[in-house]
Amino acid sequence: MTVIFPTTGRRETLTDPFGRTIRYLRVSVTDRCDFRCHYCMSEDMTFLPKRDVLSLEELERLCSTFVRLGTRKIRLTGGEPLVRKGITTLIETLGRHLASGDLEELTLTTNGSQLAHRARDLAALGIRRINVSLDTLVPEKFRSITRWGEIGPVLEGIDAALEAGLKIKINTVAVRGFNDDEFDDLIRFAHGRGMDMTLIETMPLGEVGGQRADQYLPLTAVRADLETRFRLVDVDDTTGGPARYVRIAETGGRLGFITPLTHNFCESCNRVRLTCTGTLYMCLGQDASVDLRSVLRTRPDDDAALEAAIRGAVAAKPKGHDFVIDRSQGDTVLHRHMNTTGG
Ligand code: SAM
Ligand code: SF4
């Protein structure tokens, strides 16, 4: 169905063969990061050569094409989006789609390390909500999970973002034997500051120099454990995303569970993911992809060709992912790291 929006006159939609309308684009703007979280990267990562990475102009053109095709929400991620040079320029340029009403939300997921000096600019450029990743509140543990990161600047960044009026959701990857004794503290930290929090199961993406099966902690068990101390009240999921939310009666705050392994969320998936090299992945958990960079670079003025390539990609969106974490099968099912596809 084609819907007419007054701001542009023409508005299209992208619908996949399973009837899911794609309205959400996640864009990894860089594969680089100032941290090396154990579940995300190996210590000795080789990063992409610059020529392979899309320029800011190319990223902007791709994002704007998606907006023309009905994308209503864009999340910038990475790697660490705030270490990409010129990221505020990209945000500013994409902001025109917010101003026109074509885009409902422009947001980002960050490790928070650069937030203290970026938060105000982000708010001024139209960002309203951000996700900040935080797996522990203990400085030594933070250094260990990120391999060298310091928690101080991240906590300052969170304060600065709240002060700038940004809404924050804290993302915490549940890692067995690492932060399973800290969920209560993290919940009280987040909810005490008016932030939502989401727990995420580790997903088997990329070789990270350790045993995924050892890190994997099913959130069904975490939830059951939390229920011995907190009253969790199910709330309607309004985000259309993979998280299932509860309200914690004792704190009044929301807690989400992203459970790709114990509960498959594919049937309501409305998103696709673009890497910083212009590869479009139709599913985080499948290898099916389309190279949009070659279209961008070989046919720089041909919007129709780009739109056709995107439509072709969405027509091939898989029904669901095949994540398995199983000691007997080996634990990495995809060789891509999370920083490539964007979490
Ligand atoms: N650097 C930013 C950050 O950490 O927020 C953005 C990119 S990061 C890849 C996005 C999210 O993916 C983070 O919340 C991170 O914790 C999560 N993540 C990374 N690797 C993961 C994995 N193997 N399983 C589950 N979540 C993962
Ligand atoms: Fe960097 Fe984010 Fe991956 Fe950690 S999870 S290594 S902060 S990209």
Side-chain angles (χ1 to χ4, degrees):
M1 188 180 71
T2 301
V3 184
I4 305 294
F5 279 71
T7 48
T8 56
R10 185 175 74 110
R11 182 124 194 131
E12 302 186 25
T13 55
L14 285 170
T15 305
D16 79 0
F18 305 98
R20 298 170 296 191
T21 300
I22 307 306
R23 297 191 185 283
Y24 182 7
L25 176 68
R26 294 171 80 108
V27 185
S28 176
V29 296
T30 176
D31 63 331
R32 288 162 198 260
C33 185
D34 47 347
F35 296 164
R36 295 285 183 280
C37 301
H38 275 272
Y39 47 75
C40 178
M41 293 194 190
S42 62
E43 188 165 6
D44 55 343
M45 292 288 289
T46 309
F47 293 105
L48 294 160
K50 213 171 163 204
R51 64 176 180 280
D52 288 351
V53 176
L54 298 184
S55 66
L56 293 175
E57 292 73 22
E58 288 171 325
L59 280 168
E60 194 278 327
R61 183 167 169 228
L62 267 177
C63 289
S64 295
T65 306
F66 271 94
V67 172
R68 219 163 42 239
L69 294 175
T71 289
R72 304 289 285 155
K73 173 172 172 176
I74 294 179
R75 176 176 299 279
L76 305 179
T77 177
E80 174 48 41
L82 295 181
V83 303
R84 170 84 199 240
K85 217 165 153 216
I87 186 70
T88 35
T89 310
L90 178 66
I91 293 172
E92 194 173 0
T93 338
L94 292 177
R96 74 179 191 280
H97 298 303
L98 290 172
S100 72
D102 286 346
L103 192 62
E104 263 166 29
E105 185 170 31
L106 178 60
T107 182
L108 53 94
T109 298
T110 172
N111 65 23
S113 68
Q114 311 297 312
L115 261 184
H117 59 275
R118 287 292 179 81
R120 246 192 238 231
D121 286 350
L122 294 177
L125 292 173
I127 304 273
R128 296 285 164 259
R129 299 190 303 164
I130 56 173
N131 290 353
V132 180
S133 304
L134 185 65
D135 302 323
T136 175
L137 292 168
V138 180
E140 303 77 60
K141 286 171 72 176
F142 189 88
R143 218 169 285 134
S144 133
I145 194 84
T146 59
R147 286 202 176 89
W148 52 66
E150 291 296 333
I151 196 171
V154 175
L155 297 181
E156 283 166 28
I158 288 173
D159 286 344
L162 290 173
E163 225 164 87
L166 296 175
K167 281 203 156 308
I168 299 183
K169 179 161 72 70
I170 296 291
N171 277 350
T172 302
V173 177
V175 184
R176 180 187 291 284
F178 171 74
N179 58 6
D180 35 5
D181 59 345
E182 259 197 272
F183 298 143
D184 293 13
D185 292 344
L186 283 158
I187 288 168
R188 290 191 198 285
F189 169 82
H191 292 178
R193 287 162 180 74
M195 304 185 286
D196 285 343
M197 176 173 157
T198 297
L199 288 166
I200 306 172
E201 283 176 350
T202 52
M203 293 173 233
L205 289 171
E207 187 49 61
V208 289
Q211 280 293 310
R212 292 274 186 206
D214 293 338
Q215 297 177 345
Y216 173 57
L217 179 59
L219 290 185
T220 40
V222 174
R223 182 176 171 145
D225 177 56
L226 289 173
E227 278 173 333
T228 64
R229 296 179 301 286
F230 295 106
R231 197 157 64 82
L232 309 187
V233 184
D234 282 318
V235 291
D236 277 347
D237 178 18
T238 51
T239 63
R244 295 292 165 260
Y245 283 95
V246 297
R247 192 165 294 284
I248 299 196
E250 289 78 0
T251 62
R254 289 204 320 162
L255 178 68
F257 296 90
I258 298 189
T259 55
L261 284 303
T262 52
H263 172 81
N264 187 309
F265 47 63
C266 305
E267 63 285 349
S268 59
C269 181
N270 64 352
R271 62 197 61 191
V272 289
R273 294 161 197 270
L274 183 68
T275 71
C276 59
T277 58
T279 303
L280 187 71
Y281 283 98
M282 282 70 83
C283 172
L284 179 63
Q286 294 276 2
D287 271 331
S289 67
V290 167
D291 173 19
L292 296 178
R293 186 183 61 194
S294 64
V295 186
L296 271 178
R297 292 189 178 172
T298 55
R299 306 174 76 168
D301 301 316
D302 192 345
D303 285 346
L306 195 54
E307 288 183 14
I310 292 171
R311 287 193 182 289
V314 168
K317 184 169 162 70
K319 191 169 180 198
H321 68 68
D322 295 327
F323 284 140
V324 185
I325 292 188
D326 180 344
R327 285 169 201 276
S328 62
Q329 292 187 16
D331 49 44
T332 300
V333 296
L334 289 176
H335 296 292
R336 249 162 43 225
H337 286 86
M338 187 66 120
N339 68 311
T340 312
T341 330

